[in-house]
Amino acid sequence: MSVAHYTANSLAEFVAQICEIKAPLRKDGFRFNEIPLFRGHSDNSYKLIPAIARPIESFSSDTLIHEERNLIEMAKFKLPDVFREDMQPLELLALLQHYGVPTRLLDVTENALVALYFACCSKNNNAGTNGEVIVFKSNELEVANYPVINAIADSYRFATSSQTFQDFYRNIVCQPYFAEQRQSKGTRFDSPADAAKWLNKVFSDPHFVYAPTRSQRQRAQQGRYILFSNYFIKSPYNHPNGISEEDWIFKEEIEPLNKDNDSIILARITIPKGSKQKLLFDLENFGISKEVLFCDDIGTICDNITNSYQRKVRYVFNPDNC
């Protein structure tokens, strides 16, 4: 099954396409345990990669991934009452993301219309570009992987370039958030090599995750996240305990998701640049607007009040130009 490609020039077209997109059936006639998730961005050339791994400037390849630990620890140091030490790693990343600190999380939403709004909101001088909505398929059962998901979110402490999967497992297995999984039959291993093979699979797959909802904005946007793991390579390695095998070595890089990977993506919907403004106007009629989606931002709400009266004045004095 290949990734479907659509173009939506109107809200009606977009809704019809979303209703048409479905996960494939299993052999027994039932659908896989998959639900759609959505991401909208205003430029269809954007890569599916979290902010911390994006180039700082358009002309540079430098990213903040090498500063991940410093970003997190400095936020905890300066705002200890907000970014508390007792937070689970995934909860901490989600809160950092909410306040604009780059993390290894990529925002997605359960609401297709919210994704369409972000595909139509042009910023960074890309008003003249086509937008895009990506339709992902996620396995709802993945929430059961919660302990190891927290371990991936904790990668800035343990997934360093000098660490192997075996080293990583020894570090995370003693963490408080891993207590539940230590007792799981599926994650009690006879050898470090078995643990490394399991982690190889875990780190190879993208993870669609939940995080605690702590703001009105998160609720309004119906947010979820894709959690990215470190890039890693296979390298000959002689383990200190005598196990000689090819092992996996962590690298600091994070790789973007392939937009045509049909194992996680159902469809890509192009939003033509000339249709963005009309779509934003129509979305307001369905309660999808900047004021609604950023309802805890006082500045946004005040700007919207001002803009609405500016439109009113323009209409009263220049009705033919509205």
Side-chain angles (χ1 to χ4, degrees), residues 271-307:
I271 310 300
K273 57 188 178 183
S275 301
K276 287 181 176 181
Q277 281 302 119
K278 177 62 165 58
L279 281 164
L280 285 173
F281 179 80
D282 290 340
L283 282 170
E284 282 195 33
N285 294 328
F286 290 87
I288 306 295
S289 66
K290 187 174 183 179
E291 182 176 359
V292 172
L293 298 180
F294 296 88
C295 53
D296 56 356
D297 187 329
I298 296 174
T300 292
I301 295 173
C302 290
D303 284 345
N304 190 69
I305 293 170
T306 302
N307 292 336

PDB file of all heavy atoms in Angstrom, residues 271-307:
ATOM      1  N   ILE A 271      -2.078  21.613   0.273  1.00  0.00           N
ATOM      2  CA  ILE A 271      -2.970  22.755   0.423  1.00  0.00           C
ATOM      3  C   ILE A 271      -2.408  23.888  -0.443  1.00  0.00           C
ATOM      4  O   ILE A 271      -1.400  24.507  -0.070  1.00  0.00           O
ATOM      5  CB  ILE A 271      -3.069  23.212   1.894  1.00  0.00           C
ATOM      6  CG1 ILE A 271      -3.364  22.018   2.821  1.00  0.00           C
ATOM      7  CG2 ILE A 271      -4.110  24.311   2.039  1.00  0.00           C
ATOM      8  CD1 ILE A 271      -4.651  21.283   2.525  1.00  0.00           C
ATOM      9  N   PRO A 272      -3.002  24.150  -1.610  1.00  0.00           N
ATOM     10  CA  PRO A 272      -2.456  25.182  -2.508  1.00  0.00           C
ATOM     11  C   PRO A 272      -2.390  26.550  -1.839  1.00  0.00           C
ATOM     12  O   PRO A 272      -3.278  26.925  -1.070  1.00  0.00           O
ATOM     13  CB  PRO A 272      -3.449  25.187  -3.681  1.00  0.00           C
ATOM     14  CG  PRO A 272      -4.074  23.827  -3.654  1.00  0.00           C
ATOM     15  CD  PRO A 272      -4.171  23.467  -2.203  1.00  0.00           C
ATOM     16  N   LYS A 273      -1.339  27.282  -2.135  1.00  0.00           N
ATOM     17  CA  LYS A 273      -1.123  28.588  -1.488  1.00  0.00           C
ATOM     18  C   LYS A 273      -2.282  29.549  -1.729  1.00  0.00           C
ATOM     19  O   LYS A 273      -2.629  30.344  -0.852  1.00  0.00           O
ATOM     20  CB  LYS A 273       0.186  29.200  -1.978  1.00  0.00           C
ATOM     21  CG  LYS A 273       0.267  29.376  -3.497  1.00  0.00           C
ATOM     22  CD  LYS A 273       1.653  29.804  -3.934  1.00  0.00           C
ATOM     23  CE  LYS A 273       1.726  29.937  -5.459  1.00  0.00           C
ATOM     24  NZ  LYS A 273       3.100  30.288  -5.910  1.00  0.00           N
ATOM     25  N   GLY A 274      -2.900  29.467  -2.899  1.00  0.00           N
ATOM     26  CA  GLY A 274      -3.998  30.368  -3.208  1.00  0.00           C
ATOM     27  C   GLY A 274      -5.287  30.057  -2.473  1.00  0.00           C
ATOM     28  O   GLY A 274      -6.223  30.864  -2.494  1.00  0.00           O
ATOM     29  N   SER A 275      -5.355  28.902  -1.811  1.00  0.00           N
ATOM     30  CA  SER A 275      -6.572  28.500  -1.097  1.00  0.00           C
ATOM     31  C   SER A 275      -6.484  28.721   0.405  1.00  0.00           C
ATOM     32  O   SER A 275      -7.472  28.540   1.116  1.00  0.00           O
ATOM     33  CB  SER A 275      -6.854  27.014  -1.365  1.00  0.00           C
ATOM     34  OG  SER A 275      -7.009  26.763  -2.743  1.00  0.00           O
ATOM     35  N   LYS A 276      -5.317  29.107   0.900  1.00  0.00           N
ATOM     36  CA  LYS A 276      -5.102  29.161   2.352  1.00  0.00           C
ATOM     37  C   LYS A 276      -6.041  30.141   3.055  1.00  0.00           C
ATOM     38  O   LYS A 276      -6.653  29.810   4.074  1.00  0.00           O
ATOM     39  CB  LYS A 276      -3.648  29.520   2.656  1.00  0.00           C
ATOM     40  CG  LYS A 276      -2.652  28.401   2.384  1.00  0.00           C
ATOM     41  CD  LYS A 276      -1.234  28.856   2.738  1.00  0.00           C
ATOM     42  CE  LYS A 276      -0.229  27.737   2.573  1.00  0.00           C
ATOM     43  NZ  LYS A 276       1.145  28.173   2.936  1.00  0.00           N
ATOM     44  N   GLN A 277      -6.142  31.364   2.548  1.00  0.00           N
ATOM     45  CA  GLN A 277      -6.942  32.376   3.228  1.00  0.00           C
ATOM     46  C   GLN A 277      -8.419  31.993   3.285  1.00  0.00           C
ATOM     47  O   GLN A 277      -9.067  32.148   4.314  1.00  0.00           O
ATOM     48  CB  GLN A 277      -6.773  33.733   2.550  1.00  0.00           C
ATOM     49  CG  GLN A 277      -5.485  34.459   2.917  1.00  0.00           C
ATOM     50  CD  GLN A 277      -5.359  34.683   4.425  1.00  0.00           C
ATOM     51  OE1 GLN A 277      -4.421  34.187   5.044  1.00  0.00           O
ATOM     52  NE2 GLN A 277      -6.291  35.413   5.012  1.00  0.00           N
ATOM     53  N   LYS A 278      -8.937  31.468   2.191  1.00  0.00           N
ATOM     54  CA  LYS A 278     -10.346  31.051   2.172  1.00  0.00           C
ATOM     55  C   LYS A 278     -10.568  29.888   3.141  1.00  0.00           C
ATOM     56  O   LYS A 278     -11.577  29.838   3.861  1.00  0.00           O
ATOM     57  CB  LYS A 278     -10.739  30.627   0.755  1.00  0.00           C
ATOM     58  CG  LYS A 278     -12.180  30.107   0.610  1.00  0.00           C
ATOM     59  CD  LYS A 278     -13.201  31.180   0.960  1.00  0.00           C
ATOM     60  CE  LYS A 278     -14.605  30.810   0.475  1.00  0.00           C
ATOM     61  NZ  LYS A 278     -15.119  29.557   0.991  1.00  0.00           N
ATOM     62  N   LEU A 279      -9.631  28.975   3.206  1.00  0.00           N
ATOM     63  CA  LEU A 279      -9.752  27.849   4.136  1.00  0.00           C
ATOM     64  C   LEU A 279      -9.734  28.326   5.592  1.00  0.00           C
ATOM     65  O   LEU A 279     -10.511  27.849   6.420  1.00  0.00           O
ATOM     66  CB  LEU A 279      -8.624  26.850   3.892  1.00  0.00           C
ATOM     67  CG  LEU A 279      -8.813  25.917   2.696  1.00  0.00           C
ATOM     68  CD1 LEU A 279      -7.496  25.247   2.320  1.00  0.00           C
ATOM     69  CD2 LEU A 279      -9.857  24.857   3.010  1.00  0.00           C
ATOM     70  N   LEU A 280      -8.864  29.276   5.902  1.00  0.00           N
ATOM     71  CA  LEU A 280      -8.827  29.817   7.259  1.00  0.00           C
ATOM     72  C   LEU A 280     -10.144  30.485   7.622  1.00  0.00           C
ATOM     73  O   LEU A 280     -10.651  30.341   8.747  1.00  0.00           O
ATOM     74  CB  LEU A 280      -7.682  30.828   7.397  1.00  0.00           C
ATOM     75  CG  LEU A 280      -6.271  30.242   7.480  1.00  0.00           C
ATOM     76  CD1 LEU A 280      -5.235  31.375   7.433  1.00  0.00           C
ATOM     77  CD2 LEU A 280      -6.083  29.411   8.734  1.00  0.00           C
ATOM     78  N   PHE A 281     -10.732  31.208   6.684  1.00  0.00           N
ATOM     79  CA  PHE A 281     -12.034  31.844   6.915  1.00  0.00           C
ATOM     80  C   PHE A 281     -13.105  30.791   7.177  1.00  0.00           C
ATOM     81  O   PHE A 281     -13.912  30.917   8.106  1.00  0.00           O
ATOM     82  CB  PHE A 281     -12.409  32.705   5.706  1.00  0.00           C
ATOM     83  CG  PHE A 281     -13.750  33.377   5.834  1.00  0.00           C
ATOM     84  CD1 PHE A 281     -13.898  34.538   6.583  1.00  0.00           C
ATOM     85  CD2 PHE A 281     -14.873  32.836   5.213  1.00  0.00           C
ATOM     86  CE1 PHE A 281     -15.139  35.153   6.709  1.00  0.00           C
ATOM     87  CE2 PHE A 281     -16.120  33.439   5.336  1.00  0.00           C
ATOM     88  CZ  PHE A 281     -16.258  34.607   6.092  1.00  0.00           C
ATOM     89  N   ASP A 282     -13.125  29.724   6.379  1.00  0.00           N
ATOM     90  CA  ASP A 282     -14.127  28.663   6.552  1.00  0.00           C
ATOM     91  C   ASP A 282     -13.908  27.901   7.865  1.00  0.00           C
ATOM     92  O   ASP A 282     -14.876  27.493   8.515  1.00  0.00           O
ATOM     93  CB  ASP A 282     -14.083  27.689   5.374  1.00  0.00           C
ATOM     94  CG  ASP A 282     -14.604  28.318   4.085  1.00  0.00           C
ATOM     95  OD1 ASP A 282     -15.329  29.340   4.179  1.00  0.00           O
ATOM     96  OD2 ASP A 282     -14.281  27.815   2.995  1.00  0.00           O
ATOM     97  N   LEU A 283     -12.652  27.716   8.253  1.00  0.00           N
ATOM     98  CA  LEU A 283     -12.377  27.009   9.506  1.00  0.00           C
ATOM     99  C   LEU A 283     -12.915  27.764  10.715  1.00  0.00           C
ATOM    100  O   LEU A 283     -13.341  27.160  11.706  1.00  0.00           O
ATOM    101  CB  LEU A 283     -10.869  26.792   9.656  1.00  0.00           C
ATOM    102  CG  LEU A 283     -10.266  25.649   8.834  1.00  0.00           C
ATOM    103  CD1 LEU A 283      -8.740  25.704   8.880  1.00  0.00           C
ATOM    104  CD2 LEU A 283     -10.755  24.298   9.325  1.00  0.00           C
ATOM    105  N   GLU A 284     -12.911  29.100  10.639  1.00  0.00           N
ATOM    106  CA  GLU A 284     -13.462  29.886  11.754  1.00  0.00           C
ATOM    107  C   GLU A 284     -14.922  29.540  12.002  1.00  0.00           C
ATOM    108  O   GLU A 284     -15.395  29.568  13.142  1.00  0.00           O
ATOM    109  CB  GLU A 284     -13.329  31.386  11.453  1.00  0.00           C
ATOM    110  CG  GLU A 284     -11.937  31.933  11.682  1.00  0.00           C
ATOM    111  CD  GLU A 284     -11.917  33.449  11.726  1.00  0.00           C
ATOM    112  OE1 GLU A 284     -12.903  34.050  12.201  1.00  0.00           O
ATOM    113  OE2 GLU A 284     -10.916  34.032  11.282  1.00  0.00           O
ATOM    114  N   ASN A 285     -15.667  29.218  10.942  1.00  0.00           N
ATOM    115  CA  ASN A 285     -17.081  28.855  11.094  1.00  0.00           C
ATOM    116  C   ASN A 285     -17.255  27.530  11.829  1.00  0.00           C
ATOM    117  O   ASN A 285     -18.357  27.213  12.280  1.00  0.00           O
ATOM    118  CB  ASN A 285     -17.756  28.766   9.722  1.00  0.00           C
ATOM    119  CG  ASN A 285     -17.827  30.117   9.029  1.00  0.00           C
ATOM    120  OD1 ASN A 285     -17.941  31.140   9.688  1.00  0.00           O
ATOM    121  ND2 ASN A 285     -17.732  30.115   7.709  1.00  0.00           N
ATOM    122  N   PHE A 286     -16.184  26.765  11.945  1.00  0.00           N
ATOM    123  CA  PHE A 286     -16.228  25.479  12.654  1.00  0.00           C
ATOM    124  C   PHE A 286     -15.426  25.536  13.955  1.00  0.00           C
ATOM    125  O   PHE A 286     -15.057  24.507  14.514  1.00  0.00           O
ATOM    126  CB  PHE A 286     -15.705  24.363  11.753  1.00  0.00           C
ATOM    127  CG  PHE A 286     -16.638  24.035  10.615  1.00  0.00           C
ATOM    128  CD1 PHE A 286     -16.560  24.728   9.416  1.00  0.00           C
ATOM    129  CD2 PHE A 286     -17.618  23.062  10.754  1.00  0.00           C
ATOM    130  CE1 PHE A 286     -17.424  24.446   8.372  1.00  0.00           C
ATOM    131  CE2 PHE A 286     -18.485  22.761   9.719  1.00  0.00           C
ATOM    132  CZ  PHE A 286     -18.392  23.460   8.525  1.00  0.00           C
ATOM    133  N   GLY A 287     -15.178  26.750  14.423  1.00  0.00           N
ATOM    134  CA  GLY A 287     -14.527  26.912  15.712  1.00  0.00           C
ATOM    135  C   GLY A 287     -13.040  26.645  15.712  1.00  0.00           C
ATOM    136  O   GLY A 287     -12.450  26.387  16.761  1.00  0.00           O
ATOM    137  N   ILE A 288     -12.386  26.707  14.553  1.00  0.00           N
ATOM    138  CA  ILE A 288     -10.944  26.495  14.461  1.00  0.00           C
ATOM    139  C   ILE A 288     -10.302  27.818  14.066  1.00  0.00           C
ATOM    140  O   ILE A 288     -10.358  28.243  12.907  1.00  0.00           O
ATOM    141  CB  ILE A 288     -10.599  25.400  13.422  1.00  0.00           C
ATOM    142  CG1 ILE A 288     -11.348  24.108  13.711  1.00  0.00           C
ATOM    143  CG2 ILE A 288      -9.091  25.163  13.400  1.00  0.00           C
ATOM    144  CD1 ILE A 288     -10.964  23.428  14.998  1.00  0.00           C
ATOM    145  N   SER A 289      -9.725  28.497  15.038  1.00  0.00           N
ATOM    146  CA  SER A 289      -9.105  29.793  14.800  1.00  0.00           C
ATOM    147  C   SER A 289      -7.928  29.953  15.757  1.00  0.00           C
ATOM    148  O   SER A 289      -7.758  29.175  16.704  1.00  0.00           O
ATOM    149  CB  SER A 289     -10.110  30.921  15.032  1.00  0.00           C
ATOM    150  OG  SER A 289     -10.486  30.964  16.408  1.00  0.00           O
ATOM    151  N   LYS A 290      -7.127  30.971  15.533  1.00  0.00           N
ATOM    152  CA  LYS A 290      -5.974  31.216  16.398  1.00  0.00           C
ATOM    153  C   LYS A 290      -6.422  31.486  17.828  1.00  0.00           C
ATOM    154  O   LYS A 290      -5.808  31.014  18.795  1.00  0.00           O
ATOM    155  CB  LYS A 290      -5.160  32.395  15.862  1.00  0.00           C
ATOM    156  CG  LYS A 290      -3.843  32.612  16.612  1.00  0.00           C
ATOM    157  CD  LYS A 290      -3.010  33.704  15.949  1.00  0.00           C
ATOM    158  CE  LYS A 290      -1.661  33.865  16.659  1.00  0.00           C
ATOM    159  NZ  LYS A 290      -0.822  34.905  16.023  1.00  0.00           N
ATOM    160  N   GLU A 291      -7.520  32.235  17.980  1.00  0.00           N
ATOM    161  CA  GLU A 291      -8.006  32.549  19.321  1.00  0.00           C
ATOM    162  C   GLU A 291      -8.426  31.300  20.073  1.00  0.00           C
ATOM    163  O   GLU A 291      -8.206  31.182  21.282  1.00  0.00           O
ATOM    164  CB  GLU A 291      -9.187  33.514  19.232  1.00  0.00           C
ATOM    165  CG  GLU A 291      -9.720  33.940  20.585  1.00  0.00           C
ATOM    166  CD  GLU A 291     -10.835  34.962  20.487  1.00  0.00           C
ATOM    167  OE1 GLU A 291     -11.185  35.360  19.361  1.00  0.00           O
ATOM    168  OE2 GLU A 291     -11.352  35.362  21.542  1.00  0.00           O
ATOM    169  N   VAL A 292      -9.017  30.338  19.371  1.00  0.00           N
ATOM    170  CA  VAL A 292      -9.451  29.089  20.006  1.00  0.00           C
ATOM    171  C   VAL A 292      -8.268  28.182  20.303  1.00  0.00           C
ATOM    172  O   VAL A 292      -8.139  27.621  21.393  1.00  0.00           O
ATOM    173  CB  VAL A 292     -10.480  28.368  19.118  1.00  0.00           C
ATOM    174  CG1 VAL A 292     -10.786  26.973  19.672  1.00  0.00           C
ATOM    175  CG2 VAL A 292     -11.763  29.186  19.016  1.00  0.00           C
ATOM    176  N   LEU A 293      -7.368  28.041  19.346  1.00  0.00           N
ATOM    177  CA  LEU A 293      -6.263  27.096  19.485  1.00  0.00           C
ATOM    178  C   LEU A 293      -5.172  27.602  20.420  1.00  0.00           C
ATOM    179  O   LEU A 293      -4.402  26.802  20.959  1.00  0.00           O
ATOM    180  CB  LEU A 293      -5.664  26.783  18.108  1.00  0.00           C
ATOM    181  CG  LEU A 293      -6.624  26.105  17.115  1.00  0.00           C
ATOM    182  CD1 LEU A 293      -5.912  25.842  15.796  1.00  0.00           C
ATOM    183  CD2 LEU A 293      -7.188  24.814  17.682  1.00  0.00           C
ATOM    184  N   PHE A 294      -5.095  28.920  20.621  1.00  0.00           N
ATOM    185  CA  PHE A 294      -4.127  29.499  21.553  1.00  0.00           C
ATOM    186  C   PHE A 294      -4.879  30.270  22.636  1.00  0.00           C
ATOM    187  O   PHE A 294      -4.562  31.413  22.959  1.00  0.00           O
ATOM    188  CB  PHE A 294      -3.153  30.414  20.804  1.00  0.00           C
ATOM    189  CG  PHE A 294      -2.294  29.693  19.811  1.00  0.00           C
ATOM    190  CD1 PHE A 294      -2.723  29.498  18.507  1.00  0.00           C
ATOM    191  CD2 PHE A 294      -1.059  29.186  20.177  1.00  0.00           C
ATOM    192  CE1 PHE A 294      -1.941  28.821  17.583  1.00  0.00           C
ATOM    193  CE2 PHE A 294      -0.261  28.503  19.261  1.00  0.00           C
ATOM    194  CZ  PHE A 294      -0.711  28.318  17.961  1.00  0.00           C
ATOM    195  N   CYS A 295      -5.882  29.580  23.205  1.00  0.00           N
ATOM    196  CA  CYS A 295      -6.824  30.227  24.114  1.00  0.00           C
ATOM    197  C   CYS A 295      -6.219  30.663  25.433  1.00  0.00           C
ATOM    198  O   CYS A 295      -6.836  31.433  26.173  1.00  0.00           O
ATOM    199  CB  CYS A 295      -8.018  29.306  24.368  1.00  0.00           C
ATOM    200  SG  CYS A 295      -7.538  27.649  24.914  1.00  0.00           S
ATOM    201  N   ASP A 296      -5.013  30.215  25.752  1.00  0.00           N
ATOM    202  CA  ASP A 296      -4.372  30.645  27.000  1.00  0.00           C
ATOM    203  C   ASP A 296      -3.333  31.730  26.763  1.00  0.00           C
ATOM    204  O   ASP A 296      -2.583  32.090  27.673  1.00  0.00           O
ATOM    205  CB  ASP A 296      -3.740  29.459  27.717  1.00  0.00           C
ATOM    206  CG  ASP A 296      -2.740  28.706  26.839  1.00  0.00           C
ATOM    207  OD1 ASP A 296      -2.597  29.074  25.653  1.00  0.00           O
ATOM    208  OD2 ASP A 296      -2.109  27.760  27.335  1.00  0.00           O
ATOM    209  N   ASP A 297      -3.299  32.271  25.543  1.00  0.00           N
ATOM    210  CA  ASP A 297      -2.350  33.324  25.193  1.00  0.00           C
ATOM    211  C   ASP A 297      -3.091  34.655  25.184  1.00  0.00           C
ATOM    212  O   ASP A 297      -3.855  34.948  24.258  1.00  0.00           O
ATOM    213  CB  ASP A 297      -1.728  33.035  23.824  1.00  0.00           C
ATOM    214  CG  ASP A 297      -0.597  33.995  23.470  1.00  0.00           C
ATOM    215  OD1 ASP A 297      -0.656  35.167  23.914  1.00  0.00           O
ATOM    216  OD2 ASP A 297       0.324  33.587  22.761  1.00  0.00           O
ATOM    217  N   ILE A 298      -2.909  35.457  26.216  1.00  0.00           N
ATOM    218  CA  ILE A 298      -3.636  36.716  26.344  1.00  0.00           C
ATOM    219  C   ILE A 298      -3.340  37.644  25.166  1.00  0.00           C
ATOM    220  O   ILE A 298      -4.238  38.307  24.635  1.00  0.00           O
ATOM    221  CB  ILE A 298      -3.266  37.411  27.676  1.00  0.00           C
ATOM    222  CG1 ILE A 298      -3.728  36.552  28.853  1.00  0.00           C
ATOM    223  CG2 ILE A 298      -3.882  38.803  27.759  1.00  0.00           C
ATOM    224  CD1 ILE A 298      -3.295  37.062  30.202  1.00  0.00           C
ATOM    225  N   GLY A 299      -2.082  37.682  24.724  1.00  0.00           N
ATOM    226  CA  GLY A 299      -1.722  38.535  23.599  1.00  0.00           C
ATOM    227  C   GLY A 299      -2.468  38.164  22.337  1.00  0.00           C
ATOM    228  O   GLY A 299      -2.922  39.038  21.580  1.00  0.00           O
ATOM    229  N   THR A 300      -2.598  36.865  22.086  1.00  0.00           N
ATOM    230  CA  THR A 300      -3.309  36.408  20.893  1.00  0.00           C
ATOM    231  C   THR A 300      -4.770  36.824  20.932  1.00  0.00           C
ATOM    232  O   THR A 300      -5.335  37.291  19.935  1.00  0.00           O
ATOM    233  CB  THR A 300      -3.204  34.875  20.777  1.00  0.00           C
ATOM    234  OG1 THR A 300      -1.855  34.529  20.493  1.00  0.00           O
ATOM    235  CG2 THR A 300      -4.093  34.342  19.667  1.00  0.00           C
ATOM    236  N   ILE A 301      -5.408  36.660  22.077  1.00  0.00           N
ATOM    237  CA  ILE A 301      -6.818  37.015  22.205  1.00  0.00           C
ATOM    238  C   ILE A 301      -7.008  38.518  22.023  1.00  0.00           C
ATOM    239  O   ILE A 301      -7.928  38.966  21.323  1.00  0.00           O
ATOM    240  CB  ILE A 301      -7.370  36.546  23.564  1.00  0.00           C
ATOM    241  CG1 ILE A 301      -7.342  35.013  23.631  1.00  0.00           C
ATOM    242  CG2 ILE A 301      -8.779  37.071  23.794  1.00  0.00           C
ATOM    243  CD1 ILE A 301      -7.710  34.447  24.977  1.00  0.00           C
ATOM    244  N   CYS A 302      -6.136  39.324  22.622  1.00  0.00           N
ATOM    245  CA  CYS A 302      -6.243  40.775  22.477  1.00  0.00           C
ATOM    246  C   CYS A 302      -6.006  41.210  21.034  1.00  0.00           C
ATOM    247  O   CYS A 302      -6.683  42.111  20.522  1.00  0.00           O
ATOM    248  CB  CYS A 302      -5.254  41.474  23.411  1.00  0.00           C
ATOM    249  SG  CYS A 302      -5.694  41.326  25.162  1.00  0.00           S
ATOM    250  N   ASP A 303      -5.033  40.587  20.366  1.00  0.00           N
ATOM    251  CA  ASP A 303      -4.797  40.890  18.951  1.00  0.00           C
ATOM    252  C   ASP A 303      -6.032  40.572  18.114  1.00  0.00           C
ATOM    253  O   ASP A 303      -6.393  41.320  17.195  1.00  0.00           O
ATOM    254  CB  ASP A 303      -3.604  40.087  18.422  1.00  0.00           C
ATOM    255  CG  ASP A 303      -2.274  40.656  18.890  1.00  0.00           C
ATOM    256  OD1 ASP A 303      -2.251  41.802  19.364  1.00  0.00           O
ATOM    257  OD2 ASP A 303      -1.264  39.921  18.789  1.00  0.00           O
ATOM    258  N   ASN A 304      -6.684  39.459  18.424  1.00  0.00           N
ATOM    259  CA  ASN A 304      -7.864  39.069  17.672  1.00  0.00           C
ATOM    260  C   ASN A 304      -9.009  40.074  17.869  1.00  0.00           C
ATOM    261  O   ASN A 304      -9.739  40.398  16.930  1.00  0.00           O
ATOM    262  CB  ASN A 304      -8.329  37.671  18.095  1.00  0.00           C
ATOM    263  CG  ASN A 304      -9.401  37.133  17.187  1.00  0.00           C
ATOM    264  OD1 ASN A 304      -9.151  36.827  16.027  1.00  0.00           O
ATOM    265  ND2 ASN A 304     -10.623  37.019  17.708  1.00  0.00           N
ATOM    266  N   ILE A 305      -9.166  40.566  19.110  1.00  0.00           N
ATOM    267  CA  ILE A 305     -10.186  41.586  19.366  1.00  0.00           C
ATOM    268  C   ILE A 305      -9.908  42.835  18.523  1.00  0.00           C
ATOM    269  O   ILE A 305     -10.797  43.379  17.848  1.00  0.00           O
ATOM    270  CB  ILE A 305     -10.214  41.945  20.869  1.00  0.00           C
ATOM    271  CG1 ILE A 305     -10.706  40.756  21.684  1.00  0.00           C
ATOM    272  CG2 ILE A 305     -11.100  43.169  21.119  1.00  0.00           C
ATOM    273  CD1 ILE A 305     -10.545  40.931  23.189  1.00  0.00           C
ATOM    274  N   THR A 306      -8.650  43.290  18.540  1.00  0.00           N
ATOM    275  CA  THR A 306      -8.274  44.474  17.769  1.00  0.00           C
ATOM    276  C   THR A 306      -8.505  44.260  16.282  1.00  0.00           C
ATOM    277  O   THR A 306      -9.077  45.116  15.587  1.00  0.00           O
ATOM    278  CB  THR A 306      -6.796  44.821  18.022  1.00  0.00           C
ATOM    279  OG1 THR A 306      -6.598  45.033  19.413  1.00  0.00           O
ATOM    280  CG2 THR A 306      -6.387  46.071  17.256  1.00  0.00           C
ATOM    281  N   ASN A 307      -8.067  43.098  15.766  1.00  0.00           N
ATOM    282  CA  ASN A 307      -8.204  42.815  14.333  1.00  0.00           C
ATOM    283  C   ASN A 307      -9.660  42.762  13.899  1.00  0.00           C
ATOM    284  O   ASN A 307     -10.015  43.193  12.796  1.00  0.00           O
ATOM    285  CB  ASN A 307      -7.499  41.509  13.980  1.00  0.00           C
ATOM    286  CG  ASN A 307      -5.990  41.606  14.110  1.00  0.00           C
ATOM    287  OD1 ASN A 307      -5.429  42.695  14.035  1.00  0.00           O
ATOM    288  ND2 ASN A 307      -5.335  40.477  14.314  1.00  0.00           N
TER     289      ASN A 307
END
